[in-house]
Amino acid sequence: MGRLDGKVAIITGAARGQGEAEARLFAEEGARVVLGDVRDDLGMAVAASIGESALYLHHDVRSEEDWTRVVATARDRFGKLDVLVNNAGVLHFAPIADIELDDYLRVIQVNQVGCLLGMKSVIPAMLEAGGGSIVNISSTAGLTGTAGLVAYGSSKWAIRGMTKVAALELGPLGIRVNSVHPGGIDTAMGRGDARGFEKVDTGGVYASLPLGRIGQPLEVARLALFLSSDESSYCTGSEFTIDGGMTAGPKLA
Ligand code: NAD
């Protein structure tokens, strides 16, 4: 028995990193999974290696047309839709004094607008399925201020806020909505591979955390699995932090 037997999930940004780990784990637990991303070669390879329970679709989360097509294809191919993981995200590092408006808006478009369009787009299909679960991937940068990450932090605070609004509006309809707040996960983003962000010494920086190490994508995937499954049936509008203790408080000693 899988923990997601019979469920159909859309996962955005699933070509690599945490989204890939979620797609693989969800399929192992019995779900049929639609992987979306803009990195088509990587995404297709991940879906092919998962097998028949996975389908890759080009899906730019900024595009309403893409959302309409992806939700319709998920229903056509797998019959219904129960779960959405709004995972796609981009990072841009610049202090407020230097940030270019185009860079700010690009991050907001992907992280914040993408999440809104996702929630809006899946409602009819989830109602038809008798309910559903939406998991919005925010960040520790959506819980605290992070110097140098004004665009990213604003978008992640917005995701946290939208999650509360959605929980209030959609709970009575049988759709649960929660946010996940990872901090320091070993992916291209967490290692600082993104352009404009200095490469992080993952051993050194994360050694100072209470748990003393960087987190792994599978650890976040397990939390997303819990929130996507019926095991979390009484959770909605809540924040789930997964950060090795990063936001527990200052170390005084
Ligand atoms: P990642 O860069 O490996 O994965 C992000 C994925 O999103 C990539 O595959 C990328 O192609 C995709 N993407 C980017 N723009 C897109 C668009 N317009 N439409 C669709 N897909 C798009 O990084 P990750 O760590 O796996 O990030 C996953 C999520 O976790 C992100 O929302 C990120 O902000 C969040 N997060 C990451 C960390 C960390 O330390 N890695 C910490 C907190 C939160």
Side-chain angles (χ1 to χ4, degrees):
M1 283 285 285
R3 292 162 67 191
L4 292 178
D5 274 348
K7 297 212 189 284
V8 177
I10 292 175
I11 302 174
T12 67
R16 69 180 194 186
Q18 296 174 54
E20 175 186 353
E22 283 151 8
R24 292 187 185 284
L25 182 63
F26 284 22
E28 272 171 34
E29 290 292 344
R32 284 161 298 162
V33 186
V34 175
L35 298 85
D37 208 296
V38 291
R39 293 175 194 267
D40 295 332
D41 290 351
L42 279 182
M44 277 189 280
V46 172
S49 75
I50 293 174
E52 295 220 324
S53 55
L55 172 68
Y56 176 79
L57 296 174
H58 178 85
H59 181 186
D60 186 331
V61 296
R62 297 169 294 187
S63 158
E64 259 191 300
E65 289 74 31
D66 279 14
W67 275 107
T68 303
R69 176 177 47 79
V70 167
V71 171
T73 309
R75 286 178 66 255
D76 288 350
R77 174 73 176 262
F78 295 131
K80 62 182 183 132
L81 180 65
D82 309 281
V83 171
L84 167 65
V85 183
N86 271 319
N87 165 77
V90 291
L91 181 75
H92 179 74
F93 186 83
I96 291 172
D98 298 337
I99 193 159
E100 300 286 346
L101 183 58
D102 281 355
D103 288 325
Y104 185 86
L105 292 176
R106 179 175 52 84
V107 173
I108 298 296
Q109 280 289 338
V110 176
N111 297 3
Q112 179 175 337
V113 177
C115 179
L116 171 70
L117 292 179
M119 292 196 291
K120 182 181 175 191
S121 304
V122 300
I123 293 169
M126 287 190 176
L127 291 181
E128 202 179 272
S133 174
I134 299 174
V135 181
N136 291 330
I137 306 299
S138 175
S139 168
T140 51
L143 296 172
T144 65
T146 313
L149 289 183
V150 65
Y152 184 80
S154 300
S155 71
K156 295 300 186 178
W157 276 79
I159 289 174
R160 181 179 170 204
M162 281 193 283
T163 299
K164 310 282 188 215
V165 175
L168 294 171
E169 292 182 0
L170 303 181
L173 306 178
I175 301 172
R176 299 183 296 104
V177 193
N178 293 285
S179 58
V180 168
H181 299 262
I185 308 301
D186 194 4
T187 65
M189 187 185 292
R191 290 187 298 268
D193 293 359
R195 197 162 57 90
F197 192 69
E198 211 171 299
K199 195 134 182 142
V200 172
D201 167 11
T202 52
V205 171
Y206 297 108
S208 64
L209 295 179
L211 293 188
R213 64 173 176 85
I214 196 168
Q216 293 304 315
L218 178 59
E219 296 178 290
V220 182
R222 290 192 189 118
L223 178 53
L225 167 66
F226 168 71
L227 292 172
S228 300
S229 78
D230 296 337
E231 293 166 13
S232 58
S233 52
Y234 201 50
C235 301
T236 198
S238 290
E239 296 142 11
F240 292 80
T241 303
I242 174 161
D243 67 351
M246 183 188 286
T247 53
K251 260 191 188 169
L252 296 178

